[in-house]
Amino acid sequence: MPLHQGTDRRSGPSREMRRLSLNPFYGEADPVSGMTEAPPTHRLPDGPLPPLTAYRLVHDELMLDGNSRLNLATFVTTWMEPQAAVLMNECRDKNMIDKDEYPRTAELERRCVAMLADLWHAPDPAATVGCSTTGSSEACMLAGMALKRRWAKRNADRYPSTARPNLVMGVNVQVCWEKFCAFWEVEARLVPMEGERFHLDAEAAAELCDENTIGVVAVLGSTFDGSYEPVAGICAALDALQERTGLDVPVHVDGASGAMVAPFLDEELVWDFRLPRVSSINTSGHKYGLVYPGVGWALWRSAAELPEELVFRVNYLGGDMPTFALNFSRPGAQVAAQYYCFLRLGRDGYRAVQQASRDVACGLAERFAEIPEFRLLTRGDQLPVFAVTTAPEVTAFDVFDVSRRLREYGWLVPAYTFPRNREDLSVLRVVCRNGFSADLAAVLTEDLDRLLPELRKQPYPLSPDTAKATAFHH
C-alpha cells in the first residue's frame, strides 16, 4: 500500500452525518450560524475556517493518539520543565542554518559540542569537531559518510572500480545503519545473535573485517534489550587485528542512548574517546539528553577524522563556521533546550535524573522477575531498559497477548521478535525515562496483576498475527 495514501470519501458519510460531525459550539460566537458541514479531510477545503474551529478539529482527532507519558516503547523524551517549553517556543522561528542571522543560537550549538567533547574525554575538547542534527539517525549517516570517505581516500587506487566498502556491526543495530548502507552503497556485515548474547561480539566483529572495511559500529545501549556492547573489547580485538594484518579499522560508537547515561552512572566504563580507536560518537539529545524531539549530536575526535571536503563553511561573526549536516533548515529550539538542560542540571543533576530512571527500571524488572510466567533477559542496570520473555512452560499466552492487554489500560509496551539466529525469542521491552516514576511503575504492575489471571485462563495465545510485530527501533 502506498505511503500516506488518502481515503476515497465518495462513499463516505452522508451530508447529514458530515454536518453532525461538527458540534454547534465549535463556532466562534453564535452556535446557530457559521459552518453547516465539516471540512473535507483529504483535499483542501474551499474556504478558510475560524482558528478556534480548526484547532478544535485537529485537537479532538489527536486525542485518539496514545498517551506519550505511558509510552514505554519509545526512548524519546516525553516530559520537560515548563521553562524549557517556553524557551523552545521563543526559538522555534529561528532557522539553525542561518548562523549569521542567529549568532547566539550558533554559539549555543558550539558550546554544547564542547561540553559533550569534554564529557566524552576528547583529547582536546576545544579542537573537537561536531554538530547538532535532527536526531541520531542523521548523526549516524554523517558518521558513516566520514568513515566511507576516509576509506575511499586511503584506497583511491582500488575504489570504486574493484573495491566495495563494508561496515561491520551487530544485527541489533538501529535501522538507520541499514539505511546508511543502502543509501551510500556500503555492504552491511552483520554479526548475528548467538544464544544469550544479544549484541555485537568483539572477536566475531574483527573476523568480518578486511581491507574494504570502513569501520565497526559499536552500540552503547542496544534498542533490543538495553545492554551495552563491549566497546573496549571491540577496540582491543581490532588492535590485535592490526598487529596481525596491518589493517587499521576505526570504531564509531552509536551512543544514541548510552552516551548520555554511561558518563554519569558508569564513570569507570571506558567506551569513549579515551580509546584511541574511537573516531566518532553520536547521541540523541532527545533521548536521555532529556530534550523534546528532535535533536542529535555527532562528534569526531579531531578534524583529522572528518574529511575536509564534507565540511561546508559559512561566515559566522566575521569568522569561519563549519557546518556538516544532511538537513538544511530546522528550528533552533531544540539546541536551545539542550543547552538549557546542560546549564540547568550539570553533571550532578544528570546523574540524579539518570540514576532515578535506572532505579525505577531495576525495581520494575525485579517485579517482573517475581512473576513465575516471566523470564528476564536484562535487568535495566545498563540503559534504564529491560527485556522480558515468557517462561518456556507458559502455553496459555505470549508476550504479544500481554502487550495487547496492557494497551487496554493505556500502556504502550512493545512486543517483538528478535532478529536472525534468535527469531525463536519474542520479548516485551520496557523503557524507563525521566517522568516515568516509581508510582507509575507501581500502577503498571497493578494493571499487570489484574490481567494475568485472565491470560492464564486462555487455552492458547490469542494474538492474531505476530509476524507483523515490529522491533520498535527508535
Side-chain angles (χ1 to χ4, degrees):
M1 181 177 179
L3 290 176
H4 309 302
Q5 185 178 32
T7 303
D8 185 354
R9 294 288 187 174
R10 287 174 295 183
S11 58
S14 66
R15 183 178 180 85
E16 175 64 12
M17 290 302 296
R18 294 292 296 153
R19 183 185 67 80
L20 293 176
S21 65
L22 269 185
N23 187 296
F25 281 113
Y26 272 30
E28 285 214 313
D30 186 350
V32 297
S33 67
M35 293 184 62
T36 59
E37 184 175 317
T41 56
H42 289 80
R43 63 174 177 82
L44 283 174
D46 295 330
L49 295 177
L52 183 59
T53 302
Y55 165 78
R56 285 174 170 168
L57 285 170
V58 178
H59 172 80
D60 281 7
E61 190 160 349
L62 290 176
M63 288 194 301
L64 298 174
D65 275 345
N67 185 331
S68 63
R69 291 285 300 282
L70 302 183
N71 183 0
L72 303 184
T74 184
F75 287 79
V76 172
T77 296
T78 56
W79 183 87
M80 290 189 76
E81 292 177 316
Q83 293 85 351
V86 171
L87 188 63
M88 293 182 74
N89 189 53
E90 293 171 348
C91 297
R92 64 184 179 180
D93 58 341
K94 296 181 180 180
N95 189 356
M96 268 298 303
I97 203 64
D98 293 337
K99 300 185 186 298
D100 282 337
E101 290 82 355
Y102 307 116
R104 300 322 299 173
T105 303
E107 171 64 14
L108 297 190
E109 179 186 32
R110 189 192 66 81
R111 292 179 190 176
C112 287
V113 168
M115 288 177 174
L116 289 171
D118 178 66
L119 184 68
W120 296 339
H121 300 94
D124 183 3
T128 301
V129 178
C131 64
S132 66
T133 63
T134 55
S136 271
S137 292
E138 182 188 1
C140 291
M141 297 283 176
L142 299 178
M145 288 168 61
L147 291 173
K148 182 180 178 183
R149 186 60 62 95
R150 288 172 57 201
W151 171 87
K153 292 177 71 175
R154 293 195 305 268
N155 294 273
D157 58 330
R158 300 188 303 118
Y159 179 76
S161 58
T162 61
R164 184 188 179 198
N166 65 73
L167 184 65
V168 175
M169 47 198 169
V171 72
N172 57 298
V173 290
Q174 211 264 1
V175 70
C176 69
W177 287 107
E178 299 174 39
K179 290 182 179 180
F180 165 76
C181 290
F183 295 164
W184 274 273
E185 298 181 329
V186 173
E187 176 193 355
R189 292 190 174 177
L190 301 175
V191 176
M193 295 180 176
E194 293 289 350
E196 295 298 300
R197 176 182 59 75
F198 304 124
H199 56 224
L200 186 63
D201 175 75
E203 299 303 326
E207 289 175 5
L208 288 179
C209 293
D210 58 24
E211 67 276 8
N212 294 328
T213 301
I214 66 174
V216 173
V217 176
V219 180
L220 195 70
S222 172
T223 59
F224 277 88
D225 63 357
S227 62
Y228 294 159
E229 291 188 337
V231 183
I234 293 167
C235 289
L238 294 176
D239 289 342
L241 177 69
Q242 184 175 10
E243 290 180 8
R244 295 194 309 269
T245 67
L247 293 174
D248 185 9
V249 180
V251 169
H252 171 78
V253 178
D254 182 349
S257 295
M260 292 304 296
V261 173
F264 308 110
L265 302 187
D266 309 295
E267 295 181 69
E268 301 305 314
L269 180 67
V270 179
W271 62 272
D272 52 18
F273 289 126
R274 285 171 288 183
L275 298 167
R277 197 165 289 278
V278 172
S279 64
S280 51
I281 301 172
N282 72 273
T283 196
S284 292
H286 61 227
K287 292 181 180 175
Y288 288 99
L290 308 181
V291 176
Y292 285 139
V295 62
W297 300 94
L299 272 68
W300 288 263
R301 172 184 292 276
S302 68
E305 278 74 29
L306 182 60
E308 179 64 27
E309 61 269 26
L310 295 180
V311 180
F312 293 85
R313 299 186 179 276
V314 297
N315 183 271
Y316 169 53
L317 293 180
D320 200 34
M321 181 71 183
T323 64
F324 179 40
L326 297 179
N327 288 303
F328 198 71
S329 295
R330 56 188 174 89
Q334 284 78 8
V335 168
Q338 184 73 84
Y339 187 65
Y340 167 86
C341 286
F342 286 167
L343 285 185
R344 168 77 171 88
L345 294 172
R347 288 178 181 255
D348 289 345
Y350 265 95
R351 186 175 297 111
V353 170
Q354 312 301 36
Q355 186 65 59
S357 293
R358 181 180 281 182
D359 290 346
V360 170
C362 290
L364 187 56
E366 286 304 312
R367 178 66 187 91
F368 271 85
E370 293 169 359
I371 301 173
E373 285 90 349
F374 291 120
R375 179 174 73 89
L376 285 179
L377 303 181
T378 49
R379 296 181 172 272
D381 54 352
Q382 293 183 337
L383 285 189
V385 176
F386 65 91
V388 60
T389 188
T390 49
E393 64 273 12
V394 176
T395 58
F397 63 90
D398 57 20
V399 293
F400 301 97
D401 286 326
V402 178
S403 176
R404 174 175 49 82
R405 291 301 309 276
L406 283 173
R407 186 178 287 264
E408 296 174 8
Y409 291 87
W411 300 103
L412 305 178
V413 181
Y416 54 90
T417 301
F418 271 22
R420 192 172 71 222
N421 277 29
R422 287 312 315 265
E423 293 167 324
D424 60 304
L425 183 59
S426 298
V427 305
L428 292 168
R429 188 195 69 199
V430 178
V431 178
C432 298
R433 305 177 307 280
N434 182 38
F436 181 67
S437 63
D439 286 346
L440 284 175
V443 176
L444 172 63
T445 57
E446 290 170 5
D447 290 340
L448 185 64
D449 289 339
R450 289 190 186 96
L451 63 87
L452 276 173
E454 298 176 21
L455 290 176
R456 290 170 180 143
K457 294 177 183 178
Q458 292 182 178
Y460 45 78
L462 301 180
S463 295
D465 189 1
T466 58
K468 293 182 179 180
T470 66
F472 286 86
H473 285 200
H474 57 282

